[in-house]
Structures are given as structure tokens and as C-alpha cells.
Amino acid sequence: MTNSNAPFQNLSGKVLRRSQSQRMLSGVSGGLAEYFNIDVTLVRLTIVGLTLITGGTALLGYAVAWIVIPEADGKAVWQNVQQSVNQPNSPEADIASRIYDDNNSKPPAA
């Protein structure tokens, strides 16, 4: 997945991901806490403090992190949205996929 000849390699082996287990909203704080090996409460308090100091601008950074940092399963938010858009989720499509076989376009014999 990564180029082993890259000049700047991740020598620590850590990967920044949004947390599945330590989440309150999106898992950004939990993911940062796991990455830096600190308590998630300290990260949350830091985000709240930065939000108060910057007049709410830190929330924009949080929203960008929510979109950019991938989920613990490796998919970013935009990939999950794209996947849900591409999948037919109408009841008719679901029923049709259960009735008709992909290899055979005829309905099953009664």
C-alpha cells in the first residue's frame, strides 16, 4: 500500500485512524488519543479549549479531520458516502436481488 522506497517513511508504524471504541461524536478525539498514546479526555478538553480561544474556528478543523481521517476499518467518510450512493437501497431493488439470480435472469421455478 505504501512505497517502501519513499524518503519519509512512517518509522513508528502507527496509523492515524478514527476510533471505534472511544467515540462520542465521530471518533476523531479517540483516534488522536490512541495515536499519541494519551487520555482521550485530554484531547477533548484541548479541542474545547481551542474552540473557545479561536472563536469556533477549531470546529472547522475538527470537521475537516472528521472527513479526512479514515475510519478504523480504513474507509474515509467520503468513501462510505460514495459506497452508499452506488448501492441500490430501494425495497424494490432489494426484493429483486433476492428473487433473481445474477447468472440467470429468469425467476425461480415455482
Side-chain angles (χ1 to χ4, degrees):
M1 190 163 184
T2 59
N3 185 359
S4 61
N5 298 326
F8 301 104
Q9 296 180 16
N10 185 1
L11 299 177
S12 66
K14 294 192 280 184
V15 179
L16 179 59
R17 305 256 188 231
R18 289 187 290 130
S19 177
Q20 288 279 21
S21 59
Q22 297 182 0
R23 74 170 36 191
M24 293 195 80
L25 184 61
S26 67
V28 172
S29 299
L32 288 170
E34 290 172 1
Y35 185 79
F36 291 114
N37 198 21
I38 57 176
D39 187 29
V40 69
T41 306
L42 293 175
V43 176
R44 290 181 181 136
L45 288 173
T46 302
I47 291 173
V48 168
L50 284 173
T51 301
L52 293 174
I53 290 171
T54 62
T57 308
L59 288 179
L60 181 63
Y62 186 88
V64 169
W66 188 345
I67 294 170
V68 172
I69 298 174
E71 190 72 47
D73 63 359
K75 291 186 177 180
V77 170
W78 64 270
Q79 290 172 326
N80 289 334
V81 169
Q82 184 180 20
Q83 182 180 6
S84 66
V85 167
N86 291 338
Q87 289 180 348
N89 56 357
S90 66
E92 295 85 10
D94 184 44
I95 293 169
S97 68
R98 293 179 189 198
I99 293 175
Y100 296 107
D101 187 5
D102 288 342
N103 298 329
N104 188 2
S105 61
K106 295 186 287 186

